[in-house]
Amino acid sequence: MKNTALTNKHIGLGAKMVEFAGYNMPIQYSNLLLEHENVRTKAGMFDVSHMGEFLVEGKGALDLLQFVTSNDVSKLSPGKVQYSCLPNEQGGIVDDLLVYMMDTDKYMLVVNASNIEKDWNWINQWNEKFGAELKNASEFMSLLAIQGPKATQILQKLTKTDLSAIPYYHFAIGQFAGEDGVIISNTGYTGAGGFEIYMKNEDAEKIWDAIMEAGKEFGLLPVGLGARDTLRLEMAFCLYGNDINDTTSPIAAGLGWITKFNKDFINKANLLKDKEEGTPRKLVGFEMIDKGIPRHDYEIKDESGIKIGVVTSGTQSPSLGKAIGMGYVNTDTIKQNKPIFVEVRGKLLQAKIVKTPFYINN
Amino acid sequence: MKIPSELKYSNDHEWIRIDGEVAYIGITDFAQSELGDIVFVEIETVGEILKKEEVFGTVEAVKTVSDLFLPVGAEIIEVNPKLESNPELVNHDPYGEGWMVKVKLTNPSELDHLLDAASYSSLVGV
């Protein structure tokens, strides 16, 4: 099991540690519900250094990324970030990722920890045609997410870079807590606002300590992966391995908005067909009417008990106080607006399809 | 980690407290801390006579769901009525207000096979 540069910090703070994607990660420090609430109302800091970073540079960089990702990389300019996915040739998704444009012919990809090796091999395989320079920086970079309504005020104490001048899905590179070359990105996975900051491993402990200190007066708490999952699910953000995987169409997963057909890319023809003809099932958000909590892989059924879908993520929503979930449901059932049921321990519990995000930030 | 000396424990992290003709059963401090925030306790076995180690209910935490096993054979007489609206009592007071079921033992000699506080303490490594 690998450690991040901050594993000892987490252990010192008394975090409950679990193995996640091969890394020794904090699942919670004190209490999941408290940490979740703290991100929604104040601020929380997550160590997400297990995420992977690839640098893609050189003349072939743009053409390579246009071909392997679904979104339109040509829309980026230096300082912008784009959410995207890597389609495979069978109609599914190799991974979802962020694409950072650092400079002309220079990009950074941020991928899921569980997929680092798979993505690396996949992109390199296609790069033979394009000849970009690829570097896997995952082992050398740390990533902290500082999320919540107080995040900007906390971080602004530690940098001269004007954070209010960095729009959503943009970033700046500057000095932070005395360290140079820190990437300060207005992105996140919680819907609570805030930043994600990338730094060299050797700077991670110092920056972590500086942020904890700066955040004291604002009630900042360290937050584990447990609350990260409930926060993202309230926003209906997809989690790779749960809601999307090698077999799910990005169109069926509601990722049509990051699938652009004005360029050539892997499996374009089939995904265009998915878009034009519709997919037999779609990822939807639902909330439980009957009492019970949906979980990954539970079956979704109709009134007569016929299987019409499957749950991909589910939890008791801490902010909403009700059980919510996401899952794939047959498109016909969705169109007919029929009641749906989740089978929980042999019982059919009624649920209803709702618009997402589940949680709306006030 | 609290492990009261007057209780008996099972390998599945339930405790039992004998109170005259009846007994109370819940999950241990260790179990609640492993599960995390408990949001729903589902017990629909009132009136049933169940054997030792049979499932008498389930407990749902934010992140996970776990079955509840009877430490000894018993008839389920009552479910803690407070857990319907306050399941977090299991986290806050697992041996007190967070008790789960009141039972009548069918074979009290089974109690002899349960763990005492010292043995349970070594089982969970504290």
Side-chain angles (χ1 to χ4, degrees):
Chain A
M1 188 163 52
K2 292 179 192 168
N3 287 334
T4 74
L6 295 163
T7 297
N8 287 333
K9 283 268 174 235
H10 309 317
I11 293 169
L13 285 163
K16 184 188 284 185
M17 304 296 288
V18 295
E19 179 169 347
F20 181 81
Y23 285 82
N24 190 17
M25 300 299 290
I27 184 113
Q28 67 175 46
Y29 294 84
S30 55
N31 171 292
L32 191 158
L33 297 178
L34 178 82
E35 291 167 26
H36 179 111
E37 177 69 10
N38 213 71
V39 174
R40 289 264 179 259
T41 57
K42 296 172 197 160
M45 177 154 62
F46 308 75
D47 175 18
V48 280
S49 302
H50 58 314
M51 302 286 285
E53 294 87 10
F54 302 157
L55 304 176
V56 183
E57 298 179 27
K59 287 282 169 234
L62 175 60
D63 289 342
L64 168 66
L65 294 179
Q66 283 290 53
F67 190 68
V68 298
T69 70
S70 59
N71 211 335
D72 184 0
V73 186
S74 73
K75 287 281 192 289
L76 286 173
S77 51
K80 277 193 174 181
V81 192
Q82 187 176 68
Y83 180 53
S84 193
C85 74
L86 302 172
N88 67 21
E89 294 172 283
Q90 284 79 41
I93 301 171
V94 178
D95 201 2
D96 63 338
L97 75 165
L98 292 179
V99 180
Y100 285 73
M101 185 166 182
M102 315 303 285
D103 206 340
T104 307
D105 295 331
K106 192 172 176 188
Y107 298 86
M108 178 173 78
L109 312 182
V110 182
V111 304
N112 283 297
S114 52
N115 292 332
I116 292 174
E117 195 184 337
K118 180 177 76 164
D119 294 353
W120 178 252
N121 293 337
W122 176 256
I123 297 169
N124 272 282
Q125 170 197 324
W126 294 101
N127 188 39
E128 284 173 21
K129 281 195 234 168
F130 298 97
E133 292 163 42
L134 270 79
K135 188 176 158 200
N136 183 353
S138 306
E139 299 284 307
F140 313 108
M141 288 177 79
S142 294
L143 170 56
L144 298 176
I146 300 87
Q147 301 277 296
K150 301 289 180 197
T152 307
Q153 281 169 277
I154 293 167
L155 298 178
Q156 191 63 73
K157 289 167 72 180
L158 298 167
T159 182
K160 291 198 175 92
T161 302
D162 180 7
L163 299 181
S164 67
I166 306 175
Y168 193 48
Y169 269 72
H170 286 66
F171 68 96
I173 301 177
Q175 200 178 62
F176 189 91
E179 302 300 333
D180 288 321
V182 175
I183 301 170
I184 307 166
S185 168
N186 186 344
T187 47
Y189 196 47
T190 63
F195 289 81
E196 295 180 300
I197 62 175
Y198 300 80
M199 70 218 73
K200 298 192 284 285
N201 282 349
E202 50 267 38
D203 300 335
E205 284 209 4
K206 182 184 166 189
I207 290 178
W208 171 279
D209 288 341
I211 296 171
M212 287 293 278
E213 183 61 32
K216 260 185 195 161
E217 61 174 307
F218 297 100
L220 174 75
L221 287 180
V223 180
L225 294 184
R228 185 170 162 83
D229 189 49
T230 51
L231 287 158
R232 72 92 195 166
L233 185 46
E234 287 182 342
M235 299 308 295
F237 292 149
C238 287
L239 172 62
Y240 193 90
N242 270 41
D243 313 301
I244 51 177
N245 61 38
D246 292 301
T247 68
T248 57
S249 159
I251 304 300
L255 299 179
W257 64 282
I258 59 162
T259 309
K260 301 290 165 62
F261 296 99
N262 57 348
K263 57 155 201 170
D264 191 28
F265 64 97
I266 294 168
N267 208 28
K268 175 182 177 178
N270 283 322
L271 296 182
L272 186 59
K273 201 168 145 232
D274 280 355
K275 184 176 179 173
E276 285 172 349
E277 295 175 9
T279 52
R281 56 177 204 162
K282 281 186 190 165
L283 188 63
V284 297
F286 60 87
E287 59 183 54
M288 298 303 295
I289 296 170
D290 291 330
K291 196 165 181 182
I293 298 173
R295 307 276 182 193
H296 182 69
D297 274 348
Y298 283 10
E299 293 190 347
I300 299 174
K301 297 191 163 178
D302 68 9
E303 256 168 322
S304 52
I306 294 167
K307 185 179 172 184
I308 52 165
V310 64
V311 176
T312 55
S313 289
T315 192
Q316 174 78 9
S317 158
S319 301
L320 301 170
K322 54 189 169 192
I324 58 171
M326 295 204 289
Y328 287 97
V329 175
N330 291 345
T331 308
D332 288 345
T333 309
I334 301 170
K335 280 184 189 154
Q336 291 159 10
N337 210 9
K338 283 186 184 164
I340 65 164
F341 297 81
V342 179
E343 186 172 326
V344 180
R345 294 183 288 281
K347 281 187 295 189
L348 292 186
L349 303 181
Q350 195 169 350
K352 66 170 179 197
I353 294 172
V354 296
K355 283 205 173 77
T356 56
F358 298 100
Y359 180 82
I360 310 283
N361 226 339
N362 291 317
Chain B
M1 189 75 58
K2 286 192 216 125
I3 304 178
S5 58
E6 69 274 20
L7 305 179
K8 293 272 202 176
Y9 299 89
S10 75
N11 287 310
D12 300 313
H13 310 287
E14 275 87 21
W15 56 263
I16 182 164
R17 186 176 79 232
I18 305 300
D19 185 10
E21 292 293 296
V22 297
Y24 292 83
I25 290 169
I27 65 170
T28 64
D29 196 15
F30 174 82
Q32 70 77 19
S33 106
E34 286 296 301
L35 286 166
D37 297 290
I38 290 165
V39 290
F40 181 27
V41 179
E42 183 182 61
I43 300 170
E44 295 175 334
T45 46
V46 173
E48 292 182 27
I49 295 172
L50 301 173
K51 293 197 195 77
K52 177 181 162 76
E53 287 170 8
E54 275 198 275
V55 173
F56 69 90
T58 51
V59 55
E60 297 259 17
V62 175
K63 295 298 294 174
T64 187
V65 56
S66 180
D67 283 332
L68 297 164
F69 300 95
L70 263 195
V72 292
E75 178 183 355
I76 313 289
I77 303 173
E78 188 188 341
V79 177
N80 182 351
K82 287 187 183 166
L83 298 186
E84 169 77 22
S85 48
N86 298 96
E88 69 279 4
L89 286 173
V90 179
N91 292 115
H92 300 156
D93 191 8
Y95 302 110
E97 285 210 274
W99 65 273
M100 289 182 166
V101 287
K102 186 165 138 186
V103 302
K104 197 168 168 185
L105 304 191
T106 47
N107 183 3
S109 68
E110 285 176 348
L111 288 172
D112 301 339
H113 303 291
L114 294 175
L115 306 173
D116 62 14
S119 312
Y120 182 69
S121 173
S122 53
L123 176 75
V124 299
V126 291

